[in-house]
Amino acid sequence: MSDPTVWRRRLALALLLAPRLCLAVEFPVEKRVLGNGLTVLLAPDHSAPVISSYIFYRSGSRNEVRGQTGIAHLFEHMMFNGGKKFGPGVFDDMIEGNGGSTNGYTTRDFTAYLNNFPREALPVVLDLESDRMWHLAITKQNLEQERGIVSEERRLRIDNDVGGSMNEALYLAAFVQSGYHWNTIGFMSDIQRITLEEARAYFQTYYAPNNAIVVLAGDLEPGPTLAIVDKYFGKIPRHPAPRPVDAAEPPQEGERRVDVHKQAELPAVLIGYKAVDANDPDRPAIDVAARILSEGEASRFHEDLVREHEIATGVEADLDWSIQQDLFGIYAQARPKHTAKELEERIDAVIAKLASDPVPADELAKAKRQLRAQAVAGLKTVGGKANKLGFAEIVLGGYRALFGLEARWDAVTADDVRRVVAKYLVPAQRTVVTLIPTGAGGRKQ
């Protein structure tokens, strides 16, 4: 339910959970803002008698303060413990009893709650969602129960997981002041000390209609649907706006390196280059560069490290789309008898060539096709549409930003790709995490 911590899993799941690749066509969306500040996005799609609801709260780990890291993700779990009208365990039972499914996820930028259900269940779902937005049961028993679950999740996903440990080490070293410094799941010491009073204060600050977006996509009519949303959410009072997030980060003035010693079979390397936020003018060119470097078996990294030099089992690269400046990440796993240093040398060589030589026209066109194909794949369900709309409203500053993305990719030239690679994928702006495998006894192999 939380933001994945293994870099490999993060890249694979990002297209589903916090999609960065967007629409090749425009589809109808109606936006309304209720009197209490709740933003509502409605996207009719009558292809099947189902509806997907997403409620996004502007409450990601970037909104946290030191000493309370992980509280955003903790509330993802707390939100399934009932409210005033519906008690503990009722939420899941009612959703599933009406033929639906429910889940949630937390990122650095927001927390989202999703439901997929037959259209007839819409009033039931909105009744449930409004109850927990307004009257979530925040009790000592619920807090301790979820604290234990989240603590165990931290152990499994980070403390006892090689990829999770590497990813946490990367962001801890790459970011110093920004809220992106810590992992979404938080530090164990903070998870275990968050008080009941802090939890209640956090809920009153961030779980408010004026800090939320309700997205409904599927077999609906906007007018009647908006009336139902207003019926269940319109009376919830707005709260004072949360404090602005301090996104300041001191400039990085040189390469940073971290070694992670974990029990593992083979070395690996994880490199994060300080890149751009999701709305930066250079982002489309970086998207194209990422596909050229690592999309498919004909990509440059695969051809060089896996096929030609046979030093890696796989290489992946991508840019996370985020509200603040984020990392262009590259992960490579070594083959037996090869080292992390070899991986890094070949990664550098491939990047240097991309920065110096123009990209052939066919390779450039292929990268753009891949972006479009991934965009269309994310729209096969009404859930995909709802997820993208809410993501864009928060991260891109408005859902309509989705409809201009293909044109921005199409405008990318070979010179643009060469320019952004030379500008951002440079040693002075990177953090390198090296996995040092240890044996069962904890000694280096």
Side-chain angles (χ1 to χ4, degrees):
M1 295 173 71
S2 67
D3 195 30
T5 52
V6 181
W7 189 265
R8 184 183 300 272
R9 292 201 299 263
R10 291 177 69 233
L11 296 178
L13 289 176
L15 297 177
L16 297 176
L17 300 184
R20 300 181 302 278
L21 306 176
C22 300
L23 311 178
V25 295
E26 185 168 348
F27 56 87
V29 179
E30 291 199 21
K31 178 178 179 179
R32 297 289 187 271
V33 180
L34 302 188
N36 57 8
L38 178 70
T39 297
V40 183
L41 300 178
L42 304 173
D45 181 340
H46 303 293
S47 59
V50 296
I51 294 176
S52 178
S53 76
Y54 274 70
I55 300 186
F56 289 79
Y57 292 90
R58 290 183 170 89
S59 59
S61 57
R62 72 186 288 267
N63 301 97
E64 298 168 347
V65 296
R66 294 171 189 265
Q68 294 183 16
T69 67
I71 195 169
H73 173 250
L74 178 65
F75 260 90
E76 178 203 321
H77 289 255
M78 291 285 291
M79 284 287 280
F80 290 87
N81 281 312
K84 182 178 182 180
K85 183 176 181 179
F86 301 102
V90 173
F91 193 98
D92 285 1
D93 289 345
M94 288 191 68
I95 295 289
E96 294 170 6
N98 280 273
S101 61
T102 184
N103 211 330
Y105 67 93
T106 309
T107 75
R108 287 182 163 87
D109 293 331
F110 58 84
T111 304
Y113 301 90
L114 55 140
N115 307 291
N116 298 291
F117 49 90
R119 64 186 175 193
E120 294 82 5
L122 178 61
V124 174
V125 172
L126 295 184
D127 198 7
L128 288 161
E129 288 286 7
S130 62
D131 184 49
R132 65 178 178 176
M133 177 188 285
W134 198 353
H135 298 298
L136 180 67
I138 306 176
T139 66
K140 182 177 180 181
Q141 178 181 353
N142 289 342
L143 177 60
E144 294 307 319
Q145 172 184 293
E146 303 309 329
R147 190 199 310 275
I149 293 172
V150 171
S151 296
E152 183 61 22
E153 187 176 344
R154 157 120 201 153
R155 295 185 188 98
L156 291 173
R157 290 182 177 270
I158 298 180
D159 298 341
N160 299 326
D161 186 275
V162 173
S165 296
M166 292 179 70
N167 185 61
E168 182 177 54
L170 174 67
Y171 275 84
L172 287 175
F175 292 98
V176 177
Q177 184 174 338
S178 162
Y180 287 6
H181 174 69
W182 52 84
N183 190 279
T184 301
I185 207 166
F187 296 120
M188 182 68 85
S189 59
D190 289 347
I191 296 168
Q192 295 181 344
R193 66 149 298 279
I194 291 171
T195 68
L196 187 62
E197 292 73 22
E198 289 172 338
R200 288 172 173 163
Y202 185 87
F203 180 77
Q204 287 299 314
T205 300
Y206 292 101
Y207 280 77
N210 49 301
N211 198 50
I213 300 164
V214 172
V215 189
L216 297 171
D219 195 11
L220 57 86
E221 296 297 336
T225 301
L226 183 64
I228 299 174
V229 174
D230 188 52
K231 173 185 176 181
Y232 289 106
F233 289 88
K235 294 181 181 179
I236 303 176
R238 71 165 56 232
H239 298 180
R243 63 177 179 82
V245 173
D246 181 5
E249 176 71 17
Q252 184 168 334
E253 298 179 342
E255 183 180 75
R256 300 169 185 172
R257 287 186 170 269
V258 180
D259 288 344
V260 170
H261 297 257
K262 284 284 183 180
Q263 185 173 344
E265 295 295 326
L266 298 166
V269 64
L270 176 60
I271 305 172
Y273 294 87
K274 286 280 180 60
V276 298
D277 61 64
N279 292 299
D280 192 278
D282 282 341
R283 196 222 64 243
I286 299 177
D287 294 340
V288 174
R291 298 304 169 282
I292 292 170
L293 286 171
S294 70
E295 185 69 21
E297 294 187 358
S299 65
R300 295 196 179 192
F301 278 151
H302 188 90
E303 286 281 358
D304 188 286
L305 281 80
V306 177
R307 184 170 299 175
E308 180 181 353
H309 291 92
E310 298 183 342
I311 62 172
T313 59
V315 189
E316 299 176 359
D318 211 349
L319 168 70
D320 272 357
W321 282 25
S322 305
I323 292 176
Q324 300 170 202
Q325 178 192 42
D326 211 327
L327 302 178
F328 184 99
I330 301 172
Y331 174 84
Q333 171 75 59
R335 285 187 176 181
K337 300 182 180 180
H338 292 282
T339 67
K341 182 179 180 181
E342 291 178 86
L343 297 174
E344 191 177 331
E345 288 173 350
R346 292 313 312 163
I347 288 171
D348 287 348
V350 173
I351 289 174
K353 182 174 178 59
L354 185 58
S356 62
D357 300 344
V359 179
D362 59 341
E363 191 176 16
L364 183 67
K366 179 182 178 182
K368 295 177 182 180
R369 288 196 302 271
Q370 290 170 335
L371 287 166
R372 285 192 290 270
Q374 290 172 334
V376 172
L379 297 175
K380 290 183 177 179
T381 66
V382 292
K385 283 186 176 179
N387 195 24
K388 286 175 183 288
L389 288 169
F391 173 83
E393 189 72 15
I394 289 180
V395 177
L396 301 181
Y399 79 89
R400 292 204 61 83
L402 292 176
F403 304 134
L405 291 176
E406 184 182 0
R408 296 183 66 185
W409 289 326
D410 284 343
V412 173
T413 67
D415 285 341
D416 289 331
V417 173
R418 184 168 55 180
R419 175 182 57 80
V420 297
V421 171
K423 179 179 180 180
Y424 297 104
L425 305 191
V426 294
Q429 292 296 306
R430 75 182 179 186
T431 300
V432 181
V433 178
T434 302
L435 172 64
I436 309 296
T438 62
R443 294 179 298 175
K444 294 181 184 179
Q445 291 181 328

